[in-house]
């Protein structure tokens, strides 16, 4: 039975509802909504739609109105982490595929509040070393990493037996697998059983049609980490995401492809690129389906979203975001909690600092707070 925010169910009260609205909402999983809104309770999206309908459906909600457009959080599908890692909340990034070379780096990343998957890297050189110590070290690391989020394996070994065992381990533990294609040919990865929907690869060079077809057949997503790699990947049915490798703005990286003219001619190229940095990234991380899904805004999805100071309508939404969005993010939220706001210039890991919408609407009295 539906219950108003604040009504006690058993011994616990449901979190209050917050309605974020903007001149345009771009949910990705559905058409753009002019004068739209997103209703959020806790860390989940309740509903997306026209602002007047959403606000009427939740009369006790806190109301927050933003300029520009609300979009799903961006996803960086290939990023090498270090202990000095700074989350790219200022670019609207809410989740990453982060490759960590040691436990300390993985644990430090887990404390940032950034979502996604942390991949523990193994570079074991040969089968003998792997059998003596490598396998046990990796299994111990998987169990001991101080990390609240998902953990995967970054498989980087020249030995085919080690790579085959890593693929088996990933399936045994139910972990995602991530591989840089510059280290291994696609056919080699298929032979050792690494390619599957549970794996995504990062590419920095063009792939021939045979490689692209094999990746499509195996359901393996491709994270483009260089403009040179995009040839043949867009509009052909490939599962495409973007990775910055060193951090930064994946939307800006996607926009560069259009300026360079490298992807070829596609009538809906702008839409394809925006989808790659949102829903495509979620598919690469195995987080595009089910409750708490990423890369889109819809009923039941995780409340990860960004606000961009970009003016657009339903017809120009994707083009405007791609070409005008880089550098114009004004706020970023993960799990419904504020992580960064332009006017505060602050990144928070606990959601209790700058721009906390728990104060918006003055405790749910319906007052609209306009946040620049």
């Amino acid at each position: 039975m539906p219950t108003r925010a604040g009504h006690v169910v058993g011994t616990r009260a449901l979190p209050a509802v917050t309605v974020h609205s903007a001149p345009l909402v771009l949910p990705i999983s559905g058409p753009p909504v002019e004068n739209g809104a997103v209703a959020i309770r806790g860390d989940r999206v309740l509903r997306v739609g026209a602002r007047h309908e959403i606000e009427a459906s939740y009369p006790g909600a806190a109301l927050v109105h933003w300029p520009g457009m609300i979009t799903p959080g961006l996803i960086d599908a290939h990023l090498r982490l270090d202990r000095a890692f700074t989350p790219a909340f200022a670019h609207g990034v809410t989740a990453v595929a982060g490759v960590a070379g040691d436990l300390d780096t993985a644990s430090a990343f887990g404390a940032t509040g950034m979502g996604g998957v942390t991949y523990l890297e193994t570079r074991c050189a040969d089968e003998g070393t792997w059998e003596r110590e490598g396998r046990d070290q990796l299994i111990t690391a998987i169990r001991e990493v101080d990390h609240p989020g998902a953990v995967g394996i970054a498989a980087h070994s020249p030995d085919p037996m080690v790579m085959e065992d890593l693929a088996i381990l990933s399936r045994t533990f139910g972990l995602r697998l991530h591989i840089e294609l510059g280290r291994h040919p696609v056919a080699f990865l298929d032979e050792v059983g690494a390619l599957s929907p549970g794996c995504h690869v990062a590419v920095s060079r063009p792939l021939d049609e045979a490689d692209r077809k094999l990746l499509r057949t195996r359901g393996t997503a491709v994270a483009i980490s260089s403009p040179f790699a995009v040839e043949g990947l867009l509009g052909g049915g490939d599962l495409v995401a973007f990775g910055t490798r060193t951090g930064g703005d994946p939307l800006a990286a996607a926009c560069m492809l259009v300026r360079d003219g490298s992807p070829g001619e596609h009538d809906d190229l702008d839409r394809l690129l925006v989808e790659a940095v949102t829903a495509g990234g979620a598919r690469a991380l195995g987080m595009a389906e089910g409750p708490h899904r990423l890369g889109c805004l819809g009923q039941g999805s995780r409340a990860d979203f960004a606000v961009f100071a970009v003016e657009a309508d339903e017809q120009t939404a994707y083009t405007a975001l791609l070409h005008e969005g880089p550098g114009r993010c004004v706020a970023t939220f993960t799990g419904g909690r504020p992580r960064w706001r332009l006017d505060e210039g602050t990144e928070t890991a606990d959601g209790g600092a700058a721009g906390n919408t728990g104060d918006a609407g003055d405790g749910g009295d319906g007052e609209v707070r306009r946040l620049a």
Side-chain angles (χ1 to χ4, degrees), residues 42 82 88 96 148 158 172 189 249 269 338:
D82 58 37
V96 304
T172 301
L189 295 176
D249 188 349
L269 176 60

Side-chain angles (χ1 to χ4, degrees), residues 349-370:
D350 60 4
N356 190 328
T357 55
D359 297 331
D362 197 21
D365 61 5
E367 178 186 351
V368 177
R369 299 294 176 90
R370 299 183 182 273

Side-chain angles (χ1 to χ4, degrees), residues 20 24-25 32 54 58 62 68 80 108 115 136 216 218 240 253 255 271 329 333-334 337 339 341 355 361 364 369:
H20 293 267
L24 186 78
V25 174
I54 298 297
Y58 302 97
R80 296 200 63 84
D136 288 343
R216 288 195 300 271
R218 299 294 182 253
V240 179
C255 186
R271 177 183 60 81
C329 179
F333 289 70
T334 65
R337 303 167 68 186
R339 298 298 182 180
R341 253 184 56 191
R369 299 294 176 90

Side-chain angles (χ1 to χ4, degrees), residues 252-297:
C255 186
M256 285 180 62
L257 300 182
V258 179
R259 290 201 298 267
D260 293 344
S262 53
E265 295 183 359
H266 298 288
D267 292 339
D268 55 354
L269 176 60
D270 292 341
R271 177 183 60 81
L272 290 172
L273 292 171
V274 170
E275 289 177 348
V277 298
T278 51
R283 287 193 295 268
L285 273 61
M287 295 180 167
E289 303 292 338
H292 288 274
R293 62 194 179 276
L294 305 180
C296 66
L297 294 174

